[in-house]
Amino acid sequence: MNLLYILLQEAAPKGGSSMSLIWMILIFVLIWWLMMRPQQKRAKEERKFRESLKVGDRVMFSGGIYGKVHEVGETTVEVEVSNGVILTVEKSMIQPVAKEAEKK
């Protein structure tokens, strides 16, 4: 048993732990790039959309209510959801309307 243990230790390549550490770091960076990067890009596009809101734009609340922008404030937006019904909502709750829903 001791002879087998000694032979296995001598057969193991030297410096293997540093290479495995490098591979682990590369895999972590690749996973981060593939998963986090698209999410950051989507958040940037949503932020740009909210900054460019103007009166008359069709929008949707995160809860699924559709409406038309009535007035834009610094942190809030007034949205007309029906004739004469105006709701004040936080800008972060506004989403762009999908192209199919905009046609309706």
Side-chain angles (χ1 to χ4, degrees), residues 14 16-17 21 24-26 34 40 46 54 61 70 72 75 91 101:
K14 304 296 182 213
S17 64
L21 180 64
M24 286 175 51
I25 290 172
L26 286 174
L34 290 175
Q40 290 175 344
E46 286 179 4
K54 60 187 180 301
F61 300 161
H70 185 289
V72 179
T75 58
K91 268 189 179 180

Side-chain angles (χ1 to χ4, degrees), residues 14-50:
K14 304 296 182 213
S17 64
S18 64
M19 282 302 289
S20 64
L21 180 64
I22 290 172
W23 277 109
M24 286 175 51
I25 290 172
L26 286 174
I27 289 172
F28 176 76
V29 168
L30 179 67
I31 289 173
W32 177 83
W33 190 73
L34 290 175
M35 306 241 343
M36 301 301 284
R37 187 73 178 133
Q39 184 178 0
Q40 290 175 344
K41 184 178 178 182
R42 191 170 31 252
K44 184 178 179 181
E45 289 171 357
E46 286 179 4
R47 192 176 329 110
K48 184 178 176 183
F49 164 75
R50 289 183 184 118

Side-chain angles (χ1 to χ4, degrees), residues 3-104:
L3 180 61
L4 180 61
Y5 180 72
I6 292 171
L7 288 174
L8 287 175
Q9 279 187 336
E10 290 179 8
K14 304 296 182 213
S17 64
S18 64
M19 282 302 289
S20 64
L21 180 64
I22 290 172
W23 277 109
M24 286 175 51
I25 290 172
L26 286 174
I27 289 172
F28 176 76
V29 168
L30 179 67
I31 289 173
W32 177 83
W33 190 73
L34 290 175
M35 306 241 343
M36 301 301 284
R37 187 73 178 133
Q39 184 178 0
Q40 290 175 344
K41 184 178 178 182
R42 191 170 31 252
K44 184 178 179 181
E45 289 171 357
E46 286 179 4
R47 192 176 329 110
K48 184 178 176 183
F49 164 75
R50 289 183 184 118
E51 290 172 356
S52 68
L53 280 175
K54 60 187 180 301
V55 175
D57 286 349
R58 291 206 25 104
V59 295
M60 181 181 79
F61 300 161
S62 59
I65 299 173
Y66 291 90
K68 193 179 277 189
V69 175
H70 185 289
E71 186 177 326
V72 179
E74 194 170 319
T75 58
T76 61
V77 177
E78 290 186 0
V79 179
E80 185 175 11
V81 294
S82 184
N83 291 336
V85 180
I86 298 174
L87 301 175
T88 303
V89 294
E90 191 72 26
K91 268 189 179 180
S92 63
M93 303 309 284
I94 300 289
Q95 298 178 352
V97 175
K99 298 295 181 203
E100 304 85 40
E102 205 170 277
K103 293 176 184 176
K104 292 181 182 179

